[in-house]
Amino acid sequence: MVSYKELGLVNTREMFAKAIKGGYAVPAFNFNNMEQLQAIIKAAAEDKSPVILQVSKGARNYANSILLRYMAQGAVEYAKSLGWENPQIVLHLDHGDSFELCKDCIDNGFSSVMIDGSHLPYEENVALTKKVVDYAHQYDVTVEGELGVLAGVEDEVSSDHHTYTDPEEVIDFATRTGCDSLAISIGTSHGAYKFTPEQCTRDPKTGKLVPPPLAFDVLDAVMEKLPGFPIVLHGSSSVPQEYVDMINHYSGKLPDAIGIPEEQLRKAAKSAVCKINIDSDSRLAMTAAVRKVLAEKPAEFDPRKYLGPARDEMEKLYKHKIENVLGSKDKA
């Protein structure tokens, strides 16, 4: 058993309470490798923003669970070396799909886990979430549950449809499971293709797709049922068109990729939404930078020469999210 406290990490309890009170959201950035981690920590440390390092089941398998533990510990020490005396860093399992996976993460230094039973019948979701909560709380690890289903594809998580969260279920779910935060479905979606062209309109001036608005009425109803309870939005990448255009310019194929408009995320961040998940945006930034270098310098084969610019581009993206979208700068 490795406690996250030994690694210098924190859980989300106090972090979320401050975010709700302060009217901002904590960034939850997914990472798979060293360059992503370096960029996240440098951005958070320089902006003094609390941050959640998210790892999916697939990313954990990719990075290796033992190496991942020491990467998280190293991230804390790296943040301190950048002048962040008391780093507020969470290591979080994103979309855990079983009790066994959540338990293994808790036993290996994670300070927060998500158990995603949203695809299960309601009573099974309640039972599974409660089982994870009962185990996690023994070790002061916080737990995120989920009600409602998000469309889209991200790692092992996929669905071809939305199911909005039923506000009538949230009190019962939160009370019976004891979860510390709740991911809801209000129209966000996983991946870089969050909406089909048929779901969107087209801007007559630019020809670009305009996505449908998020269901803020559902969010408002959930907040009314659970005042002050930490709410989470998954699938909240904005899919910056500059990166999509760069990827396509350098022989990529991302037709009609579209995300969540940042003004809608700003609105959500000022509500009870205190954690907003962003993954695809950093993948796009990284891929765009790598493609640019390899296209302009086809003889280049030193990974540092294309992963370095990719890291810099991701850091710029993370700072933009912290400063201009989520409002979490100088909150830690």
Side-chain angles (χ1 to χ4, degrees):
M1 179 76 191
V2 177
S3 169
Y4 69 87
K5 296 176 183 178
E6 298 171 21
L7 307 179
L9 301 165
V10 300
N11 66 25
T12 62
R13 194 170 291 115
E14 184 179 349
M15 186 180 284
F16 286 173
K18 288 181 178 179
I20 293 174
K21 187 176 181 180
Y24 62 89
V26 177
F29 297 131
N30 287 69
F31 80 100
N32 303 271
N33 60 22
M34 183 185 73
E35 285 77 18
Q36 285 178 306
L37 183 60
Q38 287 175 313
I40 292 169
I41 296 303
K42 195 161 184 283
E46 292 184 358
D47 275 351
K48 297 297 184 292
S49 168
V51 70
I52 297 170
L53 302 174
Q54 290 206 151
V55 183
S56 67
K57 177 182 177 181
R60 187 169 182 252
N61 291 337
Y62 177 83
N64 180 274
S65 61
I66 296 173
L67 284 174
L68 184 62
R69 179 200 313 163
Y70 291 105
M71 287 175 76
Q73 186 175 30
V76 173
E77 296 305 315
Y78 178 41
K80 290 179 180 177
S81 77
L82 294 172
W84 196 5
E85 294 181 8
N86 185 29
Q88 299 296 294
I89 300 172
V90 172
L91 181 61
H92 174 76
L93 171 66
D94 190 24
H95 287 290
D97 60 1
S98 68
F99 170 79
E100 290 74 22
L101 175 60
C102 291
K103 179 181 182 299
D104 193 48
C105 287
I106 293 165
D107 291 348
N108 281 280
F110 279 63
S111 57
S112 176
V113 295
M114 179 200 183
I115 178 63
D116 183 0
S118 61
H119 59 288
L120 300 171
Y122 179 75
E123 288 297 330
E124 292 182 29
N125 187 4
V126 169
L128 176 59
T129 304
K130 185 179 187 305
K131 185 177 182 181
V132 172
V133 169
D134 287 346
Y135 185 78
H137 282 184
Q138 295 179 63
Y139 303 101
D140 201 25
V141 171
T142 41
V143 179
E144 175 185 327
E146 180 165 355
L147 273 178
V149 177
L150 272 67
V153 179
E154 180 182 2
D155 286 0
E156 299 84 4
V157 182
S158 66
S159 177
D160 59 4
H161 69 283
H162 290 288
T163 301
Y164 286 155
T165 300
D166 182 353
E168 297 301 322
E169 293 178 339
V170 296
I171 296 177
D172 181 72
F173 186 86
T175 302
R176 289 173 60 191
T177 64
C179 64
D180 301 283
S181 60
L182 183 63
I184 65 171
S185 174
I186 61 169
T188 56
S189 183
H190 292 125
Y193 294 90
K194 299 188 183 298
F195 306 99
T196 64
E198 292 74 25
Q199 293 174 299
C200 305
T201 57
R202 283 195 184 271
D203 186 320
K205 295 181 179 179
T206 66
K208 292 186 179 295
L209 293 175
V210 179
L214 297 180
F216 280 99
D217 57 326
V218 175
L219 174 59
D220 290 341
V222 169
M223 289 166 54
E224 183 179 337
K225 297 289 184 182
L226 287 176
F229 194 82
I231 302 300
V232 176
L233 286 189
H234 283 244
S236 296
S237 284
S238 299
V239 188
Q241 285 305 298
E242 63 184 284
Y243 294 137
V244 174
D245 292 344
M246 191 184 301
I247 290 170
N248 290 336
H249 177 74
Y250 292 111
S251 303
K253 292 183 179 180
L254 289 176
D256 292 332
I258 189 168
I260 309 299
E262 289 187 340
E263 61 267 23
Q264 295 195 44
L265 297 177
R266 290 189 193 98
K267 179 179 177 180
K270 294 177 181 178
S271 69
V273 173
C274 59
K275 173 177 179 274
I276 292 182
N277 293 12
I278 297 168
D279 185 4
S280 295
D281 285 355
S282 68
R283 297 184 184 196
L284 292 167
M286 185 175 207
T287 300
V290 169
R291 279 187 173 275
K292 183 176 187 295
V293 172
L294 294 182
E296 293 178 349
K297 301 177 180 179
E300 186 58 72
F301 65 95
D302 183 345
R304 295 170 297 182
K305 296 298 176 62
Y306 52 83
L307 291 178
R311 180 181 59 195
D312 295 341
E313 199 62 47
M314 287 188 290
E315 182 190 343
K316 184 172 76 172
L317 169 75
Y318 295 137
K319 282 191 170 184
H320 168 70
K321 297 294 184 182
I322 289 169
E323 297 171 8
N324 303 315
V325 182
L326 308 183
S328 61
K329 182 179 179 180
D330 295 325
K331 304 298 184 182

